[in-house]
Amino acid sequence: MDRIRIRGGNELRGTIPISGAKNAALPLMIASLLTDDTLTLENVPHLADVEQLIRILGNHGVDYSVTGKRIGQEPGLGRTIHFTARNIVDTTAPYELVSKMRASFWVIGPLLARMHKARVSLPGGCAIGTRPVDLFIDSLRALGATIEIDRGYIVAEAPGGLKGARYVFPKVSVGATHVLLMAASLARGETIIENAAREPEIVDLAACLNAMGAKISGAGTPTITIEGVTALSGARHRVLPDRIETGTYAMAVAMTGGDVTLQGTSADLLSQALGTLGQAGVGVEALDGGIRVFRNGGGIQAVDVMTDPFPGFPTDLQAQFMALMTMADGTSRITETIFENRFMHVQELARLGAKIQLSGQIATVEGVRRLAGAPVMATDLRASVSLVIAGLAAEGETLVNRVYHLDRGFERLEEKLRACGAEVERISG
Ligand code: UD1
């Protein structure tokens, strides 16, 4: 298993190109199941989760091809991939595939809408607490599907097709909103989703579906209206920049000091998180086509944070922010409200010398003057990168084990950090 070795202490200076968003690319790829035409996605990040989803979609009969690179284009960054689901050959998503990545469960929406049936294994994914699927089941039932659970599989059917309805989510869910958007696009009549997730990735999916011929309005607000159509066509769509990758590198610069331009991203995607960095004493400047993050000399102030659905502070940046707070001046309280067990990074940060007390969903972080490098273990995607950030600021060597979690969500992490002066290397095997 690969490991990452970091020699901490260097400031970061330079430019980091931001990749396409994993959390947008996955639902966009799944949307290709809605049409027999070709959906072309640009700026698709090269990540283990994307490769895994390509395999899962292939199992349903989706063909794909990757457009060749032009000379001078950076290899690996932002591929263009064409997906064609001419014939759906299988409406079952098996346990062996779905258990590896939770988002693959979302195929249930398009399969049900287009084929009027789906048999999808209950999901797996990051070990960050129980992640039920009740909201998916309830909302698809509201559109007229019959749903049963049979030996670990959700068996959904809508023999006469789905019918539009008004559905109020009792709790905000990104995944269930994605699925309902896709399902309602091919339902008969109008669907109104209340208390919808407002994440930029929802807006991106709605824009792509509209380019495919769907009639969706209100994405990005709590109320989304979808006028069902009988068929969708192909389209060409560019995946939006990854706001979590953006925030992660912003926090890395905050932690090490230095001056970095995050290129190809937008401050509008994460204004809450950038505002919090500003309060902590980090320089943040919105540029045309990017963000400049800098910290020259001054220390980091402790700031309290509570995670919330968009536009609140993202749970996917909680671990990285906690890493930053371990070296802040003062004590900060970090409250996790989205997932019940998303503090696995706490004991690993403690190995580097962080002082963190956990009480239920609240972590109290007492800033220390220095962290010292140590071997640590990556436990999930965002937790692993928080250890990398802490390692960049720690004195001496940090060895991050089990980095396959990082490869699920961060494209060419070591390369991007090295280009800004970090001493980071991957040890294979
Ligand atoms: C997505 C993101 C993930 C992010 C999360 C919250 C992708 C691929 N993943 O995950 O990175 O951390 O949003 O911003 O986009 N819930 C239920 N019942 C359900 C569905 C969800 O109770 O049927 C709960 C979950 O357990 C959780 C909360 O709702 O407590 C929010 O989860 P959700 O927004 O659905 O997260 P994901 O879509 O899985």
Side-chain angles (χ1 to χ4, degrees):
M1 247 183 276
D2 288 4
R3 289 175 296 169
I4 285 185
R5 180 159 55 201
I6 304 163
R7 184 155 286 282
N10 294 2
E11 290 192 339
L12 295 174
R13 289 186 186 275
T15 298
I16 297 180
I18 297 301
S19 300
K22 169 181 91 73
N23 286 356
L26 301 180
L28 289 165
M29 290 165 66
I30 290 172
S32 69
L33 287 166
L34 286 163
T35 173
D36 59 7
D37 216 346
T38 300
L39 175 64
T40 298
L41 298 178
E42 296 173 3
N43 201 30
V44 180
H46 204 173
L47 299 169
D49 271 9
V50 166
E51 301 308 308
Q52 175 69 13
L53 185 57
I54 286 176
R55 276 191 289 279
I56 290 168
L57 293 175
N59 191 57
H60 296 298
V62 180
D63 290 326
Y64 81 100
S65 64
V66 182
T67 301
K69 287 274 155 197
R70 275 180 240 113
I71 294 167
Q73 224 170 331
E74 283 204 61
L77 272 177
R79 293 178 301 166
T80 295
I81 312 188
H82 312 271
F83 296 92
T84 312
R86 185 93 53 227
N87 298 304
I88 306 270
V89 296
D90 196 342
T91 52
T92 296
Y95 173 77
E96 301 73 56
L97 295 177
V98 180
S99 57
K100 296 205 178 93
M101 187 186 26
R102 179 175 164 93
S104 58
F105 176 78
W106 302 349
V107 298
I108 193 168
L111 288 177
L112 193 54
R114 179 168 161 197
M115 305 304 289
H116 301 173
K117 61 177 184 169
R119 189 169 163 272
V120 180
S121 169
L122 288 163
C126 274
I128 51 176
T130 352
R131 293 170 91 179
V133 291
D134 54 321
L135 300 174
F136 295 85
I137 295 179
D138 275 7
S139 56
L140 290 172
R141 277 190 178 140
L143 264 54
T146 58
I147 297 184
E148 279 167 25
I149 298 180
D150 178 32
R151 285 164 291 173
Y153 279 78
I154 297 219
V155 183
E157 288 183 5
L162 294 170
K163 284 199 293 283
R166 177 169 175 269
Y167 183 75
V168 185
F169 276 109
K171 178 176 186 178
V172 177
S173 162
V174 174
T177 303
H178 278 313
V179 164
L180 206 54
L181 266 183
M182 291 191 265
S185 291
L186 285 182
R188 256 177 298 124
E190 185 183 77
T191 298
I192 297 174
I193 309 177
E194 305 274 11
N195 199 24
R198 290 185 275 165
E199 269 65 4
E201 293 76 21
I202 299 282
V203 179
D204 206 37
L205 175 65
C208 178
L209 292 172
N210 281 342
M212 293 164 75
K215 293 185 177 159
I216 301 171
S217 57
T221 76
T223 305
I224 305 181
T225 305
I226 306 126
E227 191 60 54
V229 296
T230 49
L232 293 172
S233 60
R236 193 176 183 96
H237 180 83
R238 186 174 171 80
V239 179
L240 94 169
D242 196 316
R243 64 195 164 96
I244 304 304
E245 191 197 23
T246 304
T248 299
Y249 289 123
M251 288 181 200
V253 181
M255 186 117 195
T256 59
D259 194 336
V260 168
T261 298
L262 305 171
Q263 200 178 51
T265 186
S266 159
D268 297 340
L269 295 170
L270 69 169
S271 41
Q272 172 86 34
L274 294 178
T276 307
L277 281 182
Q279 284 175 298
V282 182
V284 177
E285 194 185 322
L287 307 173
D288 203 15
I291 304 170
R292 178 180 165 221
V293 183
F294 53 100
R295 181 164 76 80
N296 293 322
I300 290 287
Q301 304 307 312
V303 181
D304 293 346
V305 145
M306 183 184 283
T307 63
D308 258 322
F310 192 85
F313 190 96
T315 174
D316 285 350
L317 286 176
Q318 181 255 102
Q320 298 87 316
F321 187 73
M322 192 183 297
L324 177 62
M325 287 298 104
T326 62
M327 287 181 73
D329 213 353
T331 299
S332 57
R333 278 158 62 93
I334 299 180
T335 310
E336 172 59 53
T337 71
I338 309 287
F339 293 109
E340 78 222 23
N341 184 21
R342 206 175 205 185
F343 281 137
M344 266 103 66
H345 41 286
V346 166
Q347 63 190 38
E348 298 303 307
L349 288 171
R351 296 172 60 79
L352 301 174
K355 283 196 181 163
I356 308 170
Q357 292 285 333
L358 265 187
S359 167
Q361 294 299 90
I362 300 175
T364 304
V365 187
E366 189 188 324
V368 295
R369 294 191 83 80
R370 55 183 284 273
L371 297 177
V376 288
M377 185 83 82
T379 50
D380 74 48
L381 174 53
R382 312 304 177 184
S384 349
V385 84
S386 76
L387 300 173
V388 172
I389 292 179
L392 290 173
E395 288 170 16
E397 185 178 291
T398 296
L399 205 53
V400 183
N401 292 291
R402 288 206 191 154
V403 297
Y404 58 83
H405 289 291
L406 281 177
D407 297 332
R408 289 188 40 218
F410 288 90
E411 187 173 50
R412 303 203 300 174
L413 174 96
E414 310 95 274
E415 216 174 297
K416 290 184 183 186
L417 287 171
R418 264 204 308 266
C420 291
E423 279 186 61
V424 182
E425 63 174 334
R426 182 176 290 246
I427 309 165
S428 299

